Amino acid sequence: MTETPALPALWPAPLADGTVHATVTVPGSKSVTNRALVLAALAAEPGWVRRPLRSRDSQLMADALRAMGVGIEETVSSSSAGDGSGGEAWRVIPAALHGPTTVDVGNAGTVMRFLPPVATLADGDIRFDGDPRSYERPLGQVISALRTLGARIDDDGRGALPMTVLGGGALEGGTVEIDASNSSQFVSALLLSAPRFNQGVEVRHVGGNLPSMPHIRMTVEMLRAAGAQVDTPEAGGEKDVWRVTPGALLGRDMVVEPDLSNAQPFLAAALITGGTVTVPDWPRRTTQPGDALRRIFTEMGGSCELTDAGLVFTGTGKIHGIDVDLSEVGELTPGIAAVAALADSESVLRGVAHLRLHETDRLAALTKEINGLGGDVTETADGLRIRPRRMHGGVFHTYDDHRMATAGAVIGLAVEGVQIENVATTAKTLPDFPKMWTDMLAEDAEGSGVPGASAGAGA
């Protein structure tokens, strides 16, 4: 097994010298992988998570569950079902959860928010710690909600990490109000473990606009697929209310979809260069927010088609500005901002004030870094206003944020001399991104430039 060469502190973003024509195999969804791991760990029987994402965030989740007693065996399986279930798989073997132990959350929002409710079911104390930035990310609503439901948590009054969940082997559950306007993960965190609470749970969101609703729909659908009864009584006039009935979860055989949000930079490459990128296994129906790229990038000048080969996205080389509400798909903002900086007219990205509380303050970071390359970006109360200008090379800082790194690479396709600081941070959710990126761009140079060749992690 060859060792991956070390990446430079400043990675020269490749400049596209022509149209991009490639097939890019995108690894599995982080959001699906980490939810699947939690549900499998809480099930009444063993299950499989097939084609999982292997990245820093998913490895942190797996290691944390192992620390609490769950068996997770990594295997390579084969399948004759023709459903894509062959390949790498994790066998998850539930066990009695226990402490004392320490969980390293890194800077993974899913780990720091989804696992404290799991820890309340453990027999023993579970300490949560992580990267310095994790101490600044909002967690207080989850902590206070768990206390309302019967948990004991020692956080020294911070409402943030580090903290210790004093596991009692069970949690009473019941009804709780929560302000999830800073992160939809607050709701998902409570719902995922709720079938194991004595009374289940009724979660009522009582704050402002609830962002990233597709992620909550993903949580609900995955719970139901694992045998949970989840009631979302919007039809009865109630809004932002979820009820989960207590009961056993089933061990499932879950095949993880490609991470559609991580397909964004590759689709952007087709849009910017007037080329074509095919992403295999793009689902025809999904709860992933990244599916919105089909609509957004089409409005910005491209076209797409779902085929048996996957999603085929084609650009014209002309990029149009866009006025768009991204409140449900905020994670796409950095990549859309990068494309908008290269457009032929102004763009306004709205509904994403909550991005100030992500891996970094993404609105401030995008403004500073794009403007540092000669762009014209202004922060608004809930987003960004981007006026295209001719840009120049320079250092694009990432702030340990994987989506900042890929945004910088997108700009580097059209702007010579862009250097990405700490491109290795993409390993958080997209391992081998630098190789995938250069392989995509190398196809025309090495071959005919005909779509259907192979680039990326599967190459």
Side-chain angles (χ1 to χ4, degrees), residues 344-367:
D344 58 12
S345 58
E346 180 178 288
S347 293
V348 179
L349 313 185
R350 295 179 284 105
V352 287
H354 61 285
L355 294 189
R356 294 187 170 99
L357 301 170
H358 275 223
E359 280 83 344
T360 187
D361 179 341
R362 284 179 170 164
L363 300 185
L366 286 165
T367 300

Side-chain angles (χ1 to χ4, degrees), residues 26-31 34 53-58 108 259 261-262 359 362 402-403 406 424-433:
V26 179
S29 162
K30 176 204 74 175
S31 298
N34 280 2
L53 173 68
R54 181 186 286 277
S55 71
R56 187 185 186 215
D57 276 18
S58 58
D259 194 312
S261 295
N262 276 341
E359 280 83 344
R362 284 179 170 164
H402 55 131
R403 300 208 191 278
T406 54
T425 194
T426 53
K428 182 179 187 343
T429 61
L430 189 54
D432 300 326
F433 169 75

Side-chain angles (χ1 to χ4, degrees), residues 85-380:
S85 59
E88 187 171 1
W90 290 349
R91 177 73 162 167
V92 182
I93 304 169
L97 303 174
H98 61 79
T101 192
T102 296
V103 166
D104 177 12
V105 308
N107 191 20
T110 53
V111 181
M112 73 178 69
R113 291 162 183 155
F114 292 179
L115 289 188
V118 175
T120 66
L121 305 172
D123 183 9
D125 297 350
I126 311 294
R127 178 173 172 78
F128 289 84
D129 207 339
D131 297 352
R133 172 64 178 173
S134 71
Y135 297 178
E136 302 171 11
R137 298 186 67 182
L139 190 61
Q141 288 291 317
V142 175
I143 294 171
S144 61
L146 288 173
R147 286 178 173 144
T148 298
L149 298 173
R152 294 183 301 144
I153 299 173
D154 179 5
D155 66 342
D156 288 334
R158 286 184 299 270
L161 294 178
M163 69 177 189
T164 300
V165 176
L166 310 176
L171 192 70
E172 190 60 24
T175 299
V176 65
E177 292 185 344
I178 187 169
D179 179 357
S181 55
N182 283 335
S183 176
S184 67
Q185 289 178 357
F186 299 168
V187 173
S188 289
L190 299 174
L191 299 184
L192 285 167
S193 294
R196 291 282 302 271
F197 298 166
N198 294 341
Q199 296 182 36
V201 80
E202 178 179 297
V203 179
R204 293 178 168 269
H205 167 61
V206 294
N209 182 57
L210 186 58
S212 304
M213 277 298 295
H215 278 126
I216 296 179
R217 288 193 285 270
M218 177 188 293
T219 297
V220 169
E221 287 201 7
M222 291 182 69
L223 274 162
R224 287 171 174 162
Q229 181 179 331
V230 186
D231 181 23
T232 53
E234 289 187 17
E238 292 184 282
K239 186 174 182 293
D240 296 342
V241 177
W242 301 266
R243 299 185 184 116
V244 181
T245 302
L249 291 171
L250 306 175
R252 285 207 57 218
D253 198 326
M254 161 73 73
V255 180
V256 178
E257 298 172 351
D259 194 312
L260 307 187
S261 295
N262 276 341
Q264 182 181 37
F266 306 101
L267 302 183
L271 181 60
I272 290 167
T273 68
T276 298
V277 166
T278 299
V279 179
D281 301 319
W282 193 287
R284 292 185 179 274
R285 181 188 175 279
T286 182
T287 53
Q288 288 193 59
D291 195 45
L293 287 168
R294 292 192 290 156
R295 170 182 58 84
I296 294 169
F297 276 175
T298 295
E299 290 182 23
M300 296 187 80
S303 63
C304 65
E305 181 183 5
L306 271 175
T307 71
D308 290 342
L311 179 71
V312 181
F313 186 86
T314 302
T316 63
K318 295 182 178 179
I319 308 165
H320 308 311
I322 191 170
D323 187 324
V324 61
D325 183 342
L326 298 176
S327 58
E328 291 207 345
V329 293
E331 66 193 50
L332 304 180
T333 302
I336 293 170
V339 173
L342 304 171
D344 58 12
S345 58
E346 180 178 288
S347 293
V348 179
L349 313 185
R350 295 179 284 105
V352 287
H354 61 285
L355 294 189
R356 294 187 170 99
L357 301 170
H358 275 223
E359 280 83 344
T360 187
D361 179 341
R362 284 179 170 164
L363 300 185
L366 286 165
T367 300
K368 181 177 181 181
E369 298 310 313
I370 294 175
N371 288 350
L373 301 180
D376 184 359
V377 181
T378 304
E379 275 193 67
T380 66

Side-chain angles (χ1 to χ4, degrees), residues 384-415:
L384 299 172
R385 183 178 299 275
I386 303 169
R387 301 176 180 87
R389 288 175 54 181
R390 182 177 294 277
M391 291 191 287
H392 54 74
V395 175
F396 193 94
H397 298 91
T398 63
Y399 309 88
D400 294 323
D401 186 333
H402 55 131
R403 300 208 191 278
M404 287 295 296
T406 54
V410 166
I411 293 173
L413 288 174
V415 178

Side-chain angles (χ1 to χ4, degrees), residues 32-84:
V32 174
T33 296
N34 280 2
R35 283 165 173 78
L37 284 171
V38 171
L39 292 171
L42 296 177
E45 56 194 349
W48 288 93
V49 179
R50 301 188 188 274
R51 296 176 61 180
L53 173 68
R54 181 186 286 277
S55 71
R56 187 185 186 215
D57 276 18
S58 58
Q59 200 64 55
L60 285 166
M61 180 67 82
D63 289 347
L65 291 169
R66 288 187 180 111
M68 286 190 273
V70 178
I72 301 178
E73 301 171 353
E74 302 181 20
T75 66
V76 176
S77 64
S78 60
S79 172
S80 59
D83 60 358

